[in-house]
Amino acid sequence: QVQLVESGGGLVQAGGSLRLSCAASGGPFKYYVMGWFRQAPGNERAVVATISRSGGSTSYADSVKGRFTISRDNAKNTVYLHMNSLKPEDTGVYYCAADNALVLRTRPNEYDYWGKGTQVTVSS
């Protein structure tokens, strides 16, 4: 059973930056595809970025391409989301997820393990 704990959220002005971290425990981290999702009030949870087991492949939602970067450190059992040029529409609860898969996953229902989320609020 994998446990995921997100950190790094907060309040930031538009144009600012944040780095989210997700620490994993209880499972072989290097064998999990990892994803970051976000959920704004009244909206469904949606993918932000995903990363392969090795970190060699990544995918991004169109709305964050060029601004966000997902990375992972398998030695530290941690996945990161570097967020730059933040916009008010990036506001939401950001969740980390893990799936024991061989390919990148983009749908929430494809992920087996979830963290409790961290709030990101971008003010205009």
mmCIF file of all heavy atoms in Angstrom, residues 50-80:
data_model
loop_
_atom_site.group_PDB
_atom_site.id
_atom_site.type_symbol
_atom_site.label_atom_id
_atom_site.label_comp_id
_atom_site.label_asym_id
_atom_site.label_seq_id
_atom_site.Cartn_x
_atom_site.Cartn_y
_atom_site.Cartn_z
ATOM 1 N N THR A 50 1.985 14.188 -15.853
ATOM 2 C CA THR A 50 2.311 12.822 -15.484
ATOM 3 C C THR A 50 3.765 12.537 -15.844
ATOM 4 O O THR A 50 4.333 13.203 -16.722
ATOM 5 C CB THR A 50 1.405 11.801 -16.172
ATOM 6 O OG1 THR A 50 1.613 11.893 -17.590
ATOM 7 C CG2 THR A 50 -0.061 12.060 -15.863
ATOM 8 N N ILE A 51 4.329 11.530 -15.182
ATOM 9 C CA ILE A 51 5.732 11.193 -15.417
ATOM 10 C C ILE A 51 5.909 9.688 -15.327
ATOM 11 O O ILE A 51 5.292 9.027 -14.488
ATOM 12 C CB ILE A 51 6.645 11.944 -14.419
ATOM 13 C CG1 ILE A 51 8.121 11.791 -14.799
ATOM 14 C CG2 ILE A 51 6.385 11.515 -12.984
ATOM 15 C CD1 ILE A 51 9.031 12.776 -14.068
ATOM 16 N N SER A 52 6.743 9.171 -16.202
ATOM 17 C CA SER A 52 6.975 7.733 -16.258
ATOM 18 C C SER A 52 7.829 7.263 -15.085
ATOM 19 O O SER A 52 8.348 8.061 -14.316
ATOM 20 C CB SER A 52 7.667 7.372 -17.574
ATOM 21 O OG SER A 52 8.947 7.991 -17.641
ATOM 22 N N ARG A 53 7.972 5.969 -14.983
ATOM 23 C CA ARG A 53 8.714 5.372 -13.875
ATOM 24 C C ARG A 53 10.135 5.912 -13.769
ATOM 25 O O ARG A 53 10.616 6.212 -12.679
ATOM 26 C CB ARG A 53 8.788 3.859 -14.061
ATOM 27 C CG ARG A 53 7.455 3.148 -13.983
ATOM 28 C CD ARG A 53 7.652 1.671 -14.257
ATOM 29 N NE ARG A 53 6.464 0.886 -13.943
ATOM 30 C CZ ARG A 53 6.461 -0.443 -13.945
ATOM 31 N NH1 ARG A 53 7.555 -1.120 -14.241
ATOM 32 N NH2 ARG A 53 5.343 -1.098 -13.655
ATOM 33 N N SER A 54 10.796 6.016 -14.907
ATOM 34 C CA SER A 54 12.193 6.469 -14.913
ATOM 35 C C SER A 54 12.327 7.987 -14.912
ATOM 36 O O SER A 54 13.404 8.518 -14.655
ATOM 37 C CB SER A 54 12.913 5.908 -16.132
ATOM 38 O OG SER A 54 12.386 6.500 -17.310
ATOM 39 N N GLY A 55 11.237 8.656 -15.252
ATOM 40 C CA GLY A 55 11.277 10.107 -15.407
ATOM 41 C C GLY A 55 11.609 10.534 -16.820
ATOM 42 O O GLY A 55 11.652 11.724 -17.112
ATOM 43 N N GLY A 56 11.801 9.575 -17.705
ATOM 44 C CA GLY A 56 12.200 9.889 -19.065
ATOM 45 C C GLY A 56 11.081 10.391 -19.959
ATOM 46 O O GLY A 56 11.332 11.025 -20.985
ATOM 47 N N SER A 57 9.843 10.113 -19.565
ATOM 48 C CA SER A 57 8.698 10.571 -20.341
ATOM 49 C C SER A 57 7.753 11.362 -19.447
ATOM 50 O O SER A 57 7.523 10.986 -18.290
ATOM 51 C CB SER A 57 7.939 9.383 -20.933
ATOM 52 O OG SER A 57 8.737 8.697 -21.871
ATOM 53 N N THR A 58 7.239 12.447 -19.998
ATOM 54 C CA THR A 58 6.288 13.280 -19.272
ATOM 55 C C THR A 58 5.161 13.705 -20.204
ATOM 56 O O THR A 58 5.306 13.680 -21.432
ATOM 57 C CB THR A 58 6.959 14.544 -18.708
ATOM 58 O OG1 THR A 58 7.540 15.284 -19.793
ATOM 59 C CG2 THR A 58 8.042 14.203 -17.694
ATOM 60 N N SER A 59 4.053 14.095 -19.601
ATOM 61 C CA SER A 59 2.959 14.673 -20.385
ATOM 62 C C SER A 59 2.322 15.781 -19.562
ATOM 63 O O SER A 59 2.367 15.748 -18.322
ATOM 64 C CB SER A 59 1.927 13.608 -20.758
ATOM 65 O OG SER A 59 1.213 13.175 -19.618
ATOM 66 N N TYR A 60 1.734 16.753 -20.263
ATOM 67 C CA TYR A 60 1.164 17.918 -19.595
ATOM 68 C C TYR A 60 -0.193 18.271 -20.191
ATOM 69 O O TYR A 60 -0.431 18.083 -21.386
ATOM 70 C CB TYR A 60 2.087 19.127 -19.755
ATOM 71 C CG TYR A 60 3.429 18.960 -19.095
ATOM 72 C CD1 TYR A 60 4.512 18.440 -19.801
ATOM 73 C CD2 TYR A 60 3.612 19.317 -17.765
ATOM 74 C CE1 TYR A 60 5.742 18.273 -19.191
ATOM 75 C CE2 TYR A 60 4.844 19.157 -17.146
ATOM 76 C CZ TYR A 60 5.908 18.638 -17.868
ATOM 77 O OH TYR A 60 7.120 18.473 -17.259
ATOM 78 N N ALA A 61 -1.053 18.807 -19.350
ATOM 79 C CA ALA A 61 -2.271 19.412 -19.848
ATOM 80 C C ALA A 61 -1.894 20.632 -20.686
ATOM 81 O O ALA A 61 -0.910 21.319 -20.385
ATOM 82 C CB ALA A 61 -3.169 19.819 -18.684
ATOM 83 N N ASP A 62 -2.672 20.903 -21.724
ATOM 84 C CA ASP A 62 -2.356 22.030 -22.604
ATOM 85 C C ASP A 62 -2.287 23.347 -21.833
ATOM 86 O O ASP A 62 -1.484 24.217 -22.158
ATOM 87 C CB ASP A 62 -3.407 22.134 -23.711
ATOM 88 C CG ASP A 62 -3.280 21.028 -24.742
ATOM 89 O OD1 ASP A 62 -2.215 20.380 -24.809
ATOM 90 O OD2 ASP A 62 -4.260 20.803 -25.488
ATOM 91 N N SER A 63 -3.103 23.465 -20.815
ATOM 92 C CA SER A 63 -3.182 24.727 -20.082
ATOM 93 C C SER A 63 -1.926 25.048 -19.271
ATOM 94 O O SER A 63 -1.741 26.190 -18.854
ATOM 95 C CB SER A 63 -4.388 24.706 -19.143
ATOM 96 O OG SER A 63 -4.270 23.640 -18.215
ATOM 97 N N VAL A 64 -1.072 24.050 -19.054
ATOM 98 C CA VAL A 64 0.123 24.289 -18.233
ATOM 99 C C VAL A 64 1.427 24.092 -18.995
ATOM 100 O O VAL A 64 2.507 24.324 -18.435
ATOM 101 C CB VAL A 64 0.131 23.395 -16.966
ATOM 102 C CG1 VAL A 64 -1.168 23.558 -16.195
ATOM 103 C CG2 VAL A 64 0.385 21.942 -17.313
ATOM 104 N N LYS A 65 1.341 23.677 -20.238
ATOM 105 C CA LYS A 65 2.555 23.452 -21.024
ATOM 106 C C LYS A 65 3.388 24.722 -21.101
ATOM 107 O O LYS A 65 2.871 25.807 -21.355
ATOM 108 C CB LYS A 65 2.189 22.977 -22.431
ATOM 109 C CG LYS A 65 1.786 21.528 -22.504
ATOM 110 C CD LYS A 65 1.450 21.120 -23.939
ATOM 111 C CE LYS A 65 1.020 19.664 -24.003
ATOM 112 N NZ LYS A 65 0.604 19.269 -25.372
ATOM 113 N N GLY A 66 4.682 24.565 -20.878
ATOM 114 C CA GLY A 66 5.584 25.709 -20.910
ATOM 115 C C GLY A 66 5.680 26.453 -19.599
ATOM 116 O O GLY A 66 6.559 27.306 -19.435
ATOM 117 N N ARG A 67 4.797 26.150 -18.658
ATOM 118 C CA ARG A 67 4.803 26.839 -17.360
ATOM 119 C C ARG A 67 5.112 25.882 -16.208
ATOM 120 O O ARG A 67 5.751 26.281 -15.234
ATOM 121 C CB ARG A 67 3.458 27.498 -17.098
ATOM 122 C CG ARG A 67 3.074 28.549 -18.121
ATOM 123 C CD ARG A 67 1.823 29.319 -17.690
ATOM 124 N NE ARG A 67 0.655 28.454 -17.574
ATOM 125 C CZ ARG A 67 -0.052 28.324 -16.452
ATOM 126 N NH1 ARG A 67 0.298 28.995 -15.352
ATOM 127 N NH2 ARG A 67 -1.113 27.531 -16.433
ATOM 128 N N PHE A 68 4.648 24.651 -16.303
ATOM 129 C CA PHE A 68 4.827 23.660 -15.243
ATOM 130 C C PHE A 68 5.816 22.590 -15.697
ATOM 131 O O PHE A 68 5.873 22.245 -16.877
ATOM 132 C CB PHE A 68 3.511 22.974 -14.894
ATOM 133 C CG PHE A 68 2.495 23.834 -14.218
ATOM 134 C CD1 PHE A 68 2.634 25.209 -14.106
ATOM 135 C CD2 PHE A 68 1.355 23.250 -13.658
ATOM 136 C CE1 PHE A 68 1.686 25.996 -13.477
ATOM 137 C CE2 PHE A 68 0.390 24.015 -13.030
ATOM 138 C CZ PHE A 68 0.558 25.391 -12.942
ATOM 139 N N THR A 69 6.548 22.044 -14.743
ATOM 140 C CA THR A 69 7.470 20.947 -15.008
ATOM 141 C C THR A 69 7.323 19.891 -13.922
ATOM 142 O O THR A 69 7.411 20.211 -12.725
ATOM 143 C CB THR A 69 8.923 21.434 -15.041
ATOM 144 O OG1 THR A 69 9.080 22.444 -16.041
ATOM 145 C CG2 THR A 69 9.869 20.279 -15.367
ATOM 146 N N ILE A 70 7.093 18.662 -14.352
ATOM 147 C CA ILE A 70 7.035 17.543 -13.418
ATOM 148 C C ILE A 70 8.384 16.834 -13.430
ATOM 149 O O ILE A 70 9.014 16.681 -14.485
ATOM 150 C CB ILE A 70 5.884 16.575 -13.767
ATOM 151 C CG1 ILE A 70 5.709 15.518 -12.673
ATOM 152 C CG2 ILE A 70 6.096 15.934 -15.135
ATOM 153 C CD1 ILE A 70 4.450 14.660 -12.862
ATOM 154 N N SER A 71 8.829 16.416 -12.268
ATOM 155 C CA SER A 71 10.086 15.676 -12.170
ATOM 156 C C SER A 71 9.989 14.711 -11.001
ATOM 157 O O SER A 71 9.061 14.811 -10.176
ATOM 158 C CB SER A 71 11.271 16.630 -11.975
ATOM 159 O OG SER A 71 11.155 17.356 -10.764
ATOM 160 N N ARG A 72 10.916 13.793 -10.914
ATOM 161 C CA ARG A 72 10.910 12.840 -9.814
ATOM 162 C C ARG A 72 12.339 12.494 -9.426
ATOM 163 O O ARG A 72 13.257 12.551 -10.249
ATOM 164 C CB ARG A 72 10.135 11.564 -10.183
ATOM 165 C CG ARG A 72 10.748 10.715 -11.271
ATOM 166 C CD ARG A 72 9.787 9.616 -11.725
ATOM 167 N NE ARG A 72 9.514 8.652 -10.658
ATOM 168 C CZ ARG A 72 8.481 7.806 -10.704
ATOM 169 N NH1 ARG A 72 7.623 7.826 -11.722
ATOM 170 N NH2 ARG A 72 8.306 6.944 -9.712
ATOM 171 N N ASP A 73 12.487 12.123 -8.173
ATOM 172 C CA ASP A 73 13.758 11.648 -7.649
ATOM 173 C C ASP A 73 13.491 10.294 -7.025
ATOM 174 O O ASP A 73 12.963 10.218 -5.900
ATOM 175 C CB ASP A 73 14.308 12.641 -6.619
ATOM 176 C CG ASP A 73 15.708 12.275 -6.130
ATOM 177 O OD1 ASP A 73 16.066 11.090 -6.204
ATOM 178 O OD2 ASP A 73 16.418 13.172 -5.665
ATOM 179 N N ASN A 74 13.811 9.227 -7.739
ATOM 180 C CA ASN A 74 13.495 7.894 -7.248
ATOM 181 C C ASN A 74 14.324 7.522 -6.012
ATOM 182 O O ASN A 74 13.905 6.685 -5.217
ATOM 183 C CB ASN A 74 13.689 6.870 -8.354
ATOM 184 C CG ASN A 74 12.575 6.906 -9.381
ATOM 185 O OD1 ASN A 74 11.541 7.557 -9.169
ATOM 186 N ND2 ASN A 74 12.772 6.231 -10.499
ATOM 187 N N ALA A 75 15.462 8.148 -5.843
ATOM 188 C CA ALA A 75 16.262 7.887 -4.647
ATOM 189 C C ALA A 75 15.612 8.475 -3.398
ATOM 190 O O ALA A 75 15.815 7.979 -2.291
ATOM 191 C CB ALA A 75 17.660 8.451 -4.823
ATOM 192 N N LYS A 76 14.833 9.524 -3.587
ATOM 193 C CA LYS A 76 14.149 10.177 -2.463
ATOM 194 C C LYS A 76 12.671 9.838 -2.397
ATOM 195 O O LYS A 76 11.940 10.373 -1.559
ATOM 196 C CB LYS A 76 14.325 11.690 -2.553
ATOM 197 C CG LYS A 76 15.764 12.151 -2.408
ATOM 198 C CD LYS A 76 15.856 13.672 -2.457
ATOM 199 C CE LYS A 76 17.297 14.144 -2.249
ATOM 200 N NZ LYS A 76 17.404 15.622 -2.313
ATOM 201 N N ASN A 77 12.203 8.977 -3.305
ATOM 202 C CA ASN A 77 10.780 8.603 -3.345
ATOM 203 C C ASN A 77 9.876 9.832 -3.404
ATOM 204 O O ASN A 77 8.851 9.895 -2.711
ATOM 205 C CB ASN A 77 10.415 7.746 -2.129
ATOM 206 C CG ASN A 77 11.039 6.371 -2.175
ATOM 207 O OD1 ASN A 77 11.638 5.982 -3.169
ATOM 208 N ND2 ASN A 77 10.909 5.627 -1.089
ATOM 209 N N THR A 78 10.241 10.771 -4.246
ATOM 210 C CA THR A 78 9.523 12.037 -4.297
ATOM 211 C C THR A 78 9.302 12.476 -5.738
ATOM 212 O O THR A 78 10.188 12.322 -6.586
ATOM 213 C CB THR A 78 10.307 13.128 -3.538
ATOM 214 O OG1 THR A 78 10.511 12.712 -2.184
ATOM 215 C CG2 THR A 78 9.541 14.445 -3.535
ATOM 216 N N VAL A 79 8.125 13.024 -5.973
ATOM 217 C CA VAL A 79 7.805 13.629 -7.256
ATOM 218 C C VAL A 79 7.506 15.108 -7.011
ATOM 219 O O VAL A 79 6.956 15.468 -5.964
ATOM 220 C CB VAL A 79 6.630 12.911 -7.950
ATOM 221 C CG1 VAL A 79 5.359 13.002 -7.137
ATOM 222 C CG2 VAL A 79 6.422 13.446 -9.358
ATOM 223 N N TYR A 80 7.881 15.937 -7.960
ATOM 224 C CA TYR A 80 7.749 17.384 -7.816
ATOM 225 C C TYR A 80 6.902 17.966 -8.949
ATOM 226 O O TYR A 80 6.818 17.401 -10.037
ATOM 227 C CB TYR A 80 9.128 18.044 -7.857
ATOM 228 C CG TYR A 80 10.106 17.524 -6.849
ATOM 229 C CD1 TYR A 80 11.040 16.546 -7.199
ATOM 230 C CD2 TYR A 80 10.104 17.987 -5.537
ATOM 231 C CE1 TYR A 80 11.951 16.050 -6.274
ATOM 232 C CE2 TYR A 80 11.003 17.504 -4.604
ATOM 233 C CZ TYR A 80 11.925 16.537 -4.979
ATOM 234 O OH TYR A 80 12.810 16.047 -4.057
#
